[in-house]
Structures are given as structure tokens and as C-alpha cells.
Amino acid sequence: MATHILAIDTATEACSVALWRDGEIFTQFAVSPREHTQKILPMVEQCLIDAHLDLPHIDVLAFGRGPGSFTGVRIAVSIAQGLAFGANLPMIGISSLLTMAQGAYRQLGAKKVLVAIDARMGEIYSACYELKPDGFWQGAESEAVLKPEQFLAKINGLSGQWAIAGTGWSAYPILRTTNLNLLESGISLPDAQDMLLLALPEWQQGKTVDAEEAQPVYLRNEVSWKKLPGR
């Protein structure tokens, strides 16, 4: 049976759309801060045109649920919900951090990946992932917002060679002082094409949500916001 998956991500400075048509991938990607709302729908339309499909032909809509910029994550969820409501599509939320781990695997075949995104306020969104023999990533429970020093202490408890992905490594050079053997992946931002292979098994196992149930994941809790003046 044919499978068609549409993926949308605007959680960071990157804005991307990808479409899976029976194993063939069509993509649109741009780094365009503050232009996501203008670019995302034309990118969706272009992917559909390239794949010779219409929105009602899509089986499931995957979206970048975060973490990332608050505005970017909200845009991804709201645009995806609008499309899903219009075409009566189920939805799958995919972690922005896990998407980058999948990108490192696509680029390098890396099965151990450290992800760190600059979260501003002197913090990073971070995670440690390992690809298991069954083809699934382990490490969702490691996703957290941390001070760079906290993440450094955490990864110093690991061993071996790890690929790195995300903007956090350039924003906070202290992370590179780890005793681990770090491998550059070239992945600094999430790309919707990497969401497709993460969404496919979820779809096959029926792990979807209705559009009204789609939720963003910010990681940052109220404690972090108390650091802001006047909050």
C-alpha cells in the first residue's frame, strides 16, 4: 500500500518541508529567520507539485514539535494543524533534536549523536541519542534544557566517539572541551527530510494524534522564565 508523509519544521532558524512518496523524498529547505510564516506554505505547495500529489493524498502529517524558538515551534504546530484539519489528516510530532540525530546518521552513518541547540539565556536544548540494532533511537528521556556546563558534565560520563549536531557547539565552545572523541556531522539545524524516516515507523504502528491534540514541546519550564526581569 502506498504511503505518503508530509513533514513540516520551523522550530529553529531553518524552515523546511519534505514529502515521502513510497520511498522517494521531495524536499524544500531554507534558513530564513522571521520569514517562516511567509515561506512555509509555498514550500508545502512546491513539494506537493514536485511529487504530483494533492494534500488529500497525504496519509499523515509530521511536524517539528520542538524544542526550539517559541515562535517557530508555534508556527509549525499551527500551520500543520491547519493543513491537517483541512484534509482530515492524523499528525505525528517529531522532536527537533532527534531530527538532527537522524540527520547525522544520514550524513555520516553515525549511531551515537550528541545534539545541542542554542536556547539563548545561556542555555542549550540538548540530548544524547544512540541508534539501536532494531532501528529505533534511544535517548528521548535525555532531552533537556541545560547550562552548557551541565551538559558538559553529563557527556563526560560517556565514552567513545560521538557525532555532534546543532548550533550549541559553536555558540558554547566550552562543550568541545569534553574528553570524548567528537565527530562533526555538518548538521546544525533540523531538516524536515530527516523527520520522514522517524515518522514512518510511527505511522506504521498507528502512533498518531488528531489535529486538535497536537502539542508543542518547549522543555523550558516556568523556573527558567523567572530569570527574566519583571516575570
Side-chain angles (χ1 to χ4, degrees), residues 12-160:
T12 63
E13 301 95 301
C15 180
S16 61
V17 176
L19 195 154
W20 172 280
R21 187 189 69 188
D22 306 330
E24 193 172 1
I25 295 174
F26 303 85
T27 67
Q28 293 281 310
F29 180 92
V31 177
S32 54
R34 297 176 296 280
E35 294 181 359
H36 292 351
T37 50
Q38 291 90 353
K39 292 199 171 210
I40 191 69
L41 287 175
M43 291 169 81
V44 168
E45 184 177 7
Q46 190 59 54
C47 276
L48 288 167
I49 289 171
D50 292 345
H52 303 290
L53 295 173
D54 295 319
L55 197 57
H57 294 141
I58 299 300
D59 295 305
V60 64
L61 203 160
F63 65 98
R65 69 185 185 203
S69 94
F70 288 93
T71 302
V73 173
R74 282 198 299 270
I75 290 170
V77 175
S78 61
I79 294 289
Q81 281 179 318
L83 292 170
F85 273 124
N88 194 28
L89 302 177
M91 297 177 68
I92 297 172
I94 303 290
S95 162
S96 309
L97 302 176
L98 183 56
T99 297
M100 287 190 287
Q102 182 69 34
Y105 178 73
R106 170 173 55 86
Q107 290 283 73
L108 303 173
K111 296 183 179 180
K112 297 166 76 172
V113 187
L114 302 173
V115 183
I117 303 179
D118 184 7
R120 315 300 182 197
M121 294 167 61
E123 294 178 322
I124 53 173
Y125 298 122
S126 61
C128 312
Y129 297 107
E130 288 193 59
L131 186 60
K132 295 303 177 183
D134 62 4
F136 289 90
W137 289 95
Q138 179 179 306
E141 71 286 346
S142 72
E143 297 182 3
V145 57
L146 300 171
K147 294 286 187 186
E149 296 79 7
Q150 292 174 308
F151 187 55
L152 179 61
K154 183 176 176 180
I155 65 176
N156 276 340
L158 303 173
S159 61

Side-chain angles (χ1 to χ4, degrees), residues 225-231:
W225 284 110
K226 290 175 184 175
K227 299 172 187 172
L228 292 174
R231 291 297 292 248

